[in-house]
């Protein structure tokens, strides 16, 4: 497909850069909104038509550029209200001029956090084709306030815009041409290298679905094509914006399973004396995700990508274990850093 349409990607980083690559190959004219000139150069080298340097808090700049694009994709973070408001303002202004817009937002399955903190495996499974299940999560759940802001706008816009909310789980994998790593499992690995053991939260029994970043990028592509080809007044669009994306089905690993693999592989590499994982004490959470640690790597979050599979999407990449052993861990072990100085993840957690 070569649409000739203009796409504005806010934050083409770990997720969005892969989406950008796919859309550029299809002939979309893609503009990336980035913070650094270095990254602007990188995405132009892989297909971006144009770049804009800016900050997520610069609402007027985001709105200005969103106004001139048919398709807007936000992949920077699931928790930044000003940038979302800037996009929705542009979508509304376009609607007033009779211009339809597709807006695809990135949330994350931390919205399903049950507060388990590793204590048990939940039986609760969420399906994206049952909108009441997704809407049952509390309003104070992670990411939920942003999602609700978008849903309110969708109801007001009605047929004047097509809106989707992508809800990825734990993301793993590497695009070799980008060399960027994901968040949760690499952070747990760096923690193990600093403290001398692989760890998990609580009893490590809670589970979360997962997805390879390249399968995730293809999901955005599939959803975009679906939105483009589906009438704006279709119940398929108006009644639910939610799309889960997962490769695990009923075989989600527990956080203890993940820690066990980290321990085994670091032991094989001669970097841990004992491969046996153990509970991470709360006083060490600043070396993980600080006050968000329980919600990031201690939650139960079981999602099913029913809608995407009905559209023909299916995961084709390596599973999380193979990807970790073959792709991610070798990159981490080559990092020229003081491992004892690791102070936890410092960025924004998308999922």
């Amino acid at each position: 497909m070569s649409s000739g349409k203009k796409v504005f990607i806010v934050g083409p980083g770990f997720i969005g850069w892969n989406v950008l690559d796919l859309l550029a190959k299809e002939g979309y004219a893609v503009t990336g909104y980035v913070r650094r000139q270095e990254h602007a150069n990188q995405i132009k080298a892989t297909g971006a038509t144009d770049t804009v340097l800016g900050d997520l808090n610069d609402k007027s700049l985001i709105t200005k550029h969103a106004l001139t694009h048919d398709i807007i994709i936000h992949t920077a973070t699931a928790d930044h209200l000003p940038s979302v408001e800037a996009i929705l303002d542009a979508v509304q202004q376009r609607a007033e001029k009779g211009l339809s817009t597709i807006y695809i937002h990135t949330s994350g399955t931390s919205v399903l956090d049950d507060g388990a903190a590793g204590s048990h495996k939940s039986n609760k499974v969420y399906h994206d084709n049952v909108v009441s299940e997704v809407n049952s999560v509390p309003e104070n759940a992670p990411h939920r306030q942003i999602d609700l802001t978008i849903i309110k706008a969708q109801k007001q816009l009605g047929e004047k815009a097509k809106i989707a909310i992508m809800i990825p789980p734990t993301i793993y994998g590497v695009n070799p041409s980008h060399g960027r790593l994901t968040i949760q499992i690499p952070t747990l690995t760096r923690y193990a290298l600093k403290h001398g053991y692989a760890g998990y939260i609580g009893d490590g029994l809670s589970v979360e679905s997962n997805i390879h970043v390249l399968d995730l990028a293809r999901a955005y592509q599939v959803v975009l094509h679906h939105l483009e080809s589906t009438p704006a007044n279709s119940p398929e669009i108006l009644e639910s914006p939610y799309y889960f994306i997962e490769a695990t089905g009923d075989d989600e690993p527990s956080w203890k399973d993940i820690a066990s693999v980290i321990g085994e592989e670091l032991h094989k590499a001669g970097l841990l004396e004992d491969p046996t994982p153990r509970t991470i004490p709360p006083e060490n959470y600043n070396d993980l995700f600080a006050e968000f640690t329980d919600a990031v790597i201690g939650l139960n979050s079981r999602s099913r990508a029913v809608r995407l599979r009905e559209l023909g999407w299916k995961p084709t990449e390596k599973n999380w274990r193979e990807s970790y052993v073959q792709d991610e861990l070798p990159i981490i072990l080559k990092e020229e850093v003081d491992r004892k100085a690791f102070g936890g993840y410092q960025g924004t957690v998308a999922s």
Side-chain angles (χ1 to χ4, degrees):
M1 177 183 294
S2 178
S3 73
K5 290 187 177 180
K6 297 174 66 178
V7 181
F8 186 48
I9 300 184
V10 177
F14 182 65
I15 299 171
W17 192 1
N18 287 289
V19 177
L20 185 154
D21 286 357
L22 292 176
L23 298 185
K25 289 175 183 175
E26 289 191 311
Y28 290 83
V30 186
T31 296
Y33 187 84
V34 298
R35 289 179 298 166
R36 298 175 293 109
Q37 184 62 51
E38 178 187 6
H39 189 43
N41 296 339
Q42 289 174 326
I43 64 173
K44 288 204 79 170
T46 62
T49 306
D50 200 1
T51 59
V52 178
L53 293 179
D55 184 271
L56 285 181
N57 290 310
D58 194 337
K59 295 179 68 173
S60 61
L61 185 61
I62 292 172
T63 299
K64 172 186 173 182
H65 288 279
L67 279 169
T68 63
H69 289 79
D70 312 286
I71 300 159
I72 305 162
I73 303 175
H74 193 322
T75 54
T77 168
D79 294 306
H80 192 266
L81 183 59
S83 56
V84 170
E85 290 174 335
I87 291 169
L88 292 174
D89 184 28
V91 174
Q92 177 63 43
Q93 289 186 47
R94 285 174 56 86
E96 291 169 359
K97 297 175 182 176
L99 299 172
S100 179
T101 309
I102 290 174
Y103 173 31
I104 301 177
H105 177 74
T106 305
S107 182
T109 62
S110 287
V111 73
L112 308 179
D113 176 26
D114 61 351
S119 64
H120 66 281
K121 177 180 179 178
S122 173
N123 293 321
K124 177 64 176 176
V125 179
Y126 293 83
H127 305 80
D128 60 8
N129 66 328
V130 184
V131 68
S132 61
E133 291 184 2
V134 187
N135 283 335
S136 71
V137 303
E139 292 188 5
N140 64 349
H143 315 322
R144 187 59 176 161
Q145 282 301 309
I146 305 292
D147 294 353
L148 289 173
T149 297
I150 295 169
I151 291 165
K152 180 181 178 181
Q154 181 191 37
K155 289 178 180 178
Q156 293 172 343
L157 288 159
E159 300 174 16
K160 297 176 182 178
K162 301 177 183 180
I163 295 176
I165 299 176
M166 308 294 282
I167 312 179
T170 294
I171 306 168
Y172 67 90
V174 179
N175 181 332
S177 66
H178 297 176
R180 290 193 172 198
L181 291 175
T182 182
I183 298 169
Q184 287 94 330
I185 298 176
T187 296
L188 283 165
T189 302
R190 296 182 183 112
Y191 176 93
L193 289 167
K194 176 176 180 175
H195 290 273
Y197 66 92
Y200 48 81
I201 302 305
D203 295 323
L205 300 179
S206 49
V207 303
E208 183 169 5
S209 307
N210 59 49
I211 189 69
H212 193 288
V213 66
L214 296 181
D215 284 325
L216 174 57
R218 282 189 284 271
Y220 281 78
Q221 185 182 32
V222 168
V223 169
L224 173 57
H225 292 173
H226 173 63
L227 294 175
E228 288 180 313
S229 62
T230 304
N233 62 357
S234 168
E236 174 77 8
I237 290 178
L238 294 176
E239 293 178 4
S240 174
Y242 305 121
Y243 290 89
F244 289 135
I245 314 99
E246 45 75 28
T248 35
D250 295 329
D251 193 29
E252 311 103 328
S254 70
W255 292 102
K256 188 173 184 178
D257 292 335
I258 292 170
S260 295
V261 171
I262 292 171
E264 290 167 10
E265 294 304 318
L266 292 181
H267 179 67
K268 288 179 187 176
L271 296 168
L272 293 185
E273 291 185 10
D274 184 355
T276 308
R278 60 180 189 259
T279 298
I280 297 170
E283 56 264 30
N284 287 354
Y285 283 6
N286 280 338
D287 283 344
L288 293 165
F289 301 96
E291 69 269 27
F292 303 108
T293 296
D294 284 347
V296 176
I297 54 173
L299 76 167
N300 282 295
S301 180
R302 309 184 66 190
S303 56
R304 298 292 179 269
V306 179
R307 299 181 75 191
L308 270 168
R309 287 184 170 90
E310 289 175 345
L311 294 176
W313 172 92
K314 62 180 181 179
T316 60
E317 300 292 335
K318 302 171 183 177
N319 65 35
W320 70 271
R321 181 191 294 258
E322 292 171 340
S323 177
Y324 177 71
V325 173
Q326 297 171 16
D327 302 329
E328 288 149 85
L329 183 58
I331 292 174
I332 294 170
L333 295 185
K334 289 177 183 176
E335 291 174 342
E336 296 181 358
V337 296
D338 179 359
R339 291 171 178 159
K340 295 300 182 182
F342 179 63
Y345 182 72
Q346 303 299 317
T348 302
V349 181
S351 58

